[in-house]
Amino acid sequence: MSRDPLVVTMGEPAGVGPELIGLSWLALRAGPPCPFYCLADPDFLSSRLKSAGVPVPVITVECPDEVDAAFGEGIPVMRLESRVRAGTPGNPSTEDAPAVLEAIERAVTDVIDGRACGVVTAPVQKETLYDAGFAFPGHTEFLGDLARRRGLDAYPVMMIASDELRVVPVTVHVPIADVSRLLTEDLIVETSRIVARELTAKFGIAAPRLAVAGLNPHAGEGGRIGTEDRDVVAPAVAALVAEGIGAHGPQAADTLFHASARRSYDAAICMYHDQALIPIKTIAFDDAVNVTLGLPFVRTSPDHGTALSLAGTGKANPSSFVAAIRMAWRMSARP
């Protein structure tokens, strides 16, 4: 094997992740090689794929070195110590939280220790993990903590990416009433620095162009419609430009996402969650990818949740999962 494989986590056993892993393997085996192995309970995964009508063999492997030979015949799976206890489609259980979290922790260990070239995570059911005592807001924060436990720098930044658009929300899962209070010049600058650096390091863009959206309608109209764009966003853009980063803004968000505008930048830096995610989910709902920047390794995931209502049917669309695997493979190829 000329490159280490990717490692894919099992995700929520009651969700669509297990069958999407199988559907993704079917889509990828015939195309350009993107070999991966899955950290899962192989007995559960095999059973779920059969019951969902996804005809994919599961091949238990002992180490990543065995993945290349196994990948052409089925999904290589490294066995978790934790078993899937419930895994009933559509009905998450706290009994399965240990297996979900073990898969994530071991995936990070494998990529940091050089056994895998990147991590692709299947969706988790956060509420179930919270009920089991999980202390992090989500996947991204947990990954950052796991990296820091190994003594590595980590400042996780969420980017949603497709071929048509890349967006980054500066504030993420917070109430809209809190955005103005949480939005600071330092937060915008640090987030944008990481985006610019990672667009170069992981996407090969030599001189990234960042479009920085305004918070208020019409980017505040010079303070007439709120003062945040004048007093917070504009100084942040000026600081970025002074550092040599190609940032422009604050720009009116309502004219930032049409086709012609999108050709003028490599990523849009948005002030809050829906300002970023509504346009990309409109433009690329099926194949957008969640990319975590600011980690000392490559991490992607499909841009959707556990889709409990589809779990076990074999009817979930694997496009975003396939795109996440392909993007992680491309990103990890860069020096």
Side-chain angles (χ1 to χ4, degrees), residues 184-200:
T184 66
E185 180 180 339
D186 286 346
L187 180 61
I188 297 169
V189 169
E190 185 61 23
T191 300
S192 300
R193 280 178 184 149
I194 290 168
V195 174
R197 183 185 72 220
E198 298 276 69
L199 285 175
T200 297

Side-chain angles (χ1 to χ4, degrees), residues 83-277:
R83 301 292 300 275
V84 172
R85 303 290 180 184
T88 305
N91 293 287
S93 170
T94 56
E95 289 185 273
D96 291 331
V100 173
L101 296 176
E102 183 194 340
I104 300 168
E105 292 184 28
R106 282 184 53 185
V108 170
T109 297
D110 281 358
V111 73
I112 289 176
D113 289 348
R115 292 186 290 272
C117 65
V119 179
V120 181
T121 57
V124 298
Q125 192 72 13
K126 289 187 289 187
E127 295 86 351
T128 304
L129 296 181
Y130 298 154
D131 290 343
F134 186 64
F136 298 89
H139 239 138
T140 301
E141 295 83 2
F142 185 40
L143 291 165
D145 182 72
L146 291 172
R148 286 187 287 268
R149 290 184 204 176
R150 295 291 299 271
L152 301 171
D153 291 334
Y155 188 107
V157 169
M158 182 177 80
M159 180 172 75
I160 310 298
S162 72
D163 290 341
E164 295 86 4
L165 177 64
R166 302 182 189 95
V167 295
V168 175
V170 174
T171 63
V172 190
H173 297 122
V174 299
I176 195 71
D178 294 342
V179 170
S180 180
R181 174 179 59 83
L182 296 172
L183 202 61
T184 66
E185 180 180 339
D186 286 346
L187 180 61
I188 297 169
V189 169
E190 185 61 23
T191 300
S192 300
R193 280 178 184 149
I194 290 168
V195 174
R197 183 185 72 220
E198 298 276 69
L199 285 175
T200 297
K202 293 178 179 174
F203 289 83
I205 301 172
R209 302 164 300 164
L210 306 182
V212 182
L215 173 66
N216 297 298
H218 305 170
E221 290 193 352
R224 294 176 179 83
I225 309 177
T227 59
E228 295 90 347
D229 296 297
R230 180 193 66 195
D231 297 342
V232 178
V233 183
V237 173
L240 292 166
V241 171
E243 294 180 12
I245 294 172
H248 303 274
Q251 300 188 37
D254 62 345
T255 59
L256 194 55
F257 299 105
H258 61 83
S260 178
R262 295 198 305 270
R263 289 193 288 270
S264 70
Y265 57 84
D266 299 300
I269 309 297
C270 302
M271 297 302 107
Y272 56 93
H273 181 278
D274 284 10
Q275 187 184 62
L277 270 69

